[in-house]
Amino acid sequence: VPKHYKFGVLNVKEGQSTEETWFSNTGLSDDLVKFLEIMGEKIELKGYQGYAAGLDTKTGESGSISYRSSWKGTDIMFHVAPLMPLQNNDKQHVFRKKHIGNDIVSIIFIEGNQSFNPKAIRSQFLHVYIVIK
């Protein structure tokens, strides 16, 4: 049984229906912050010594903060899309998707009454979507 897991976190805002819009979101709403604080603890990535799930802990390339948790000796790192750097000239959001698109589980945090269609995300690895509304 693995001792380390990584979960993607995407937020879906009202009127968004494509992966390009989901991966382009920046900033965290108060509701998303409350949810993330229930799920884990906020950490500074730079200098972080624990399981980082591929996030950069030296130069800040992955952003400055993330969220992590542990459960029964198992480490969990959350790849939170809106906390990762956004490159406006990259419409496919390759940097963010390289992390979240390679996770097996993604938490979809829906803000408003928007629906979510998992077929809108192109990934060979994502198999489990946990939708929070």
Side-chain angles (χ1 to χ4, degrees), residues 3-14:
K3 291 290 184 184
H4 306 292
Y5 291 92
K6 52 189 181 159
F7 295 167
V9 177
L10 282 174
N11 60 325
V12 175
K13 296 181 180 180
E14 194 73 39

Side-chain angles (χ1 to χ4, degrees), residues 17-102:
S17 59
T18 65
E19 75 172 7
E20 290 80 16
T21 57
W22 303 331
F23 278 99
S24 69
N25 287 330
T26 59
L28 303 178
S29 68
D30 290 342
D31 288 338
L32 182 52
V33 169
K34 287 176 192 171
F35 174 74
L36 289 168
E37 288 174 348
I38 290 168
M39 296 298 293
E41 65 177 315
K42 181 166 63 169
I43 57 147
E44 294 286 332
L45 284 172
K46 194 165 190 175
Y48 179 66
Q49 298 293 314
Y51 173 64
L55 296 176
D56 177 48
T57 59
K58 293 182 171 86
T59 67
E61 182 181 275
S62 299
S64 59
I65 64 169
S66 193
Y67 284 80
R68 64 149 313 270
S69 188
S70 62
W71 184 74
K72 294 187 177 186
T74 301
D75 294 317
I76 303 164
M77 177 61 77
F78 296 98
H79 289 146
V80 184
L83 293 177
M84 295 178 177
L86 179 66
Q87 298 166 342
N88 290 324
N89 60 345
D90 180 11
K91 293 190 187 295
Q92 293 183 333
H93 307 289
V94 172
F95 179 79
R96 290 177 171 189
K97 195 167 179 193
K98 104 175 163 182
H99 289 289
I100 295 168
N102 287 310

Side-chain angles (χ1 to χ4, degrees), residues 96-113:
R96 290 177 171 189
K97 195 167 179 193
K98 104 175 163 182
H99 289 289
I100 295 168
N102 287 310
D103 294 340
I104 300 216
V105 176
S106 188
I107 298 169
I108 310 300
F109 189 84
I110 304 212
E111 303 185 57
N113 292 316

